[in-house]
Amino acid sequence: EQRIAEGDIWIGYWVYIQAIPTVAEANEILAKVRDNGITDSYVIPNSDSGNLVSLGVFTEISGVSRRRDQVRALGYEPQVVDRTRRATVYWVDVMLRDDQTIDFEALQPPGRIMRLEQRSCASAG
């Protein structure tokens, strides 16, 4: 049975420098990282964690590792968190017998990001 709900969709790993005391200091860091080839960066002033410099969102952990190494070489310690957005989520509810399983690998299309997860449902009876 298929059902639709609102939920959070994972879009990637967000890399950023946090807790920068002033916007002026954040802009100095931004100039330094851009001068070193990190052109998809920008300042987010007055966030919950102080001023931030965003350094990109990556769908692959290898991109995160490269970016983290670039930023550490400049003398900063970047943070990495999951980045999500609100969107429509499609659920397929499947009732399995105790001896049945679902092969999630077979359901994952190659080259396409899909998040598949298995959750137990409360017994209906």
Side-chain angles (χ1 to χ4, degrees), residues 18 26 30 37 56 61 67-68 101 105 119 124:
Q18 71 174 355
L30 178 65
I61 200 69
R67 181 59 44 94
R68 187 184 294 146
T101 60
E105 290 287 323
R119 291 187 185 178

Side-chain angles (χ1 to χ4, degrees), residues 83-102:
R83 191 72 165 172
T84 61
R85 66 175 170 84
R86 295 296 287 173
T88 301
V89 179
Y90 298 89
W91 290 94
V92 176
D93 297 327
V94 178
M95 294 290 291
L96 299 175
R97 294 186 314 262
D98 288 342
D99 63 336
Q100 291 180 309
T101 60
I102 294 177

Side-chain angles (χ1 to χ4, degrees), residues 17 20 23-39 41-43 53-55 74 76:
I17 300 169
I20 304 165
V23 173
E25 287 177 74
N27 283 324
E28 288 175 19
I29 293 170
L30 178 65
K32 186 174 181 180
V33 298
R34 283 188 174 173
D35 286 347
N36 283 275
I38 304 173
T39 57
S41 54
Y42 57 92
V43 170
V53 173
S54 178
L55 303 166
L74 298 174
Y76 304 108

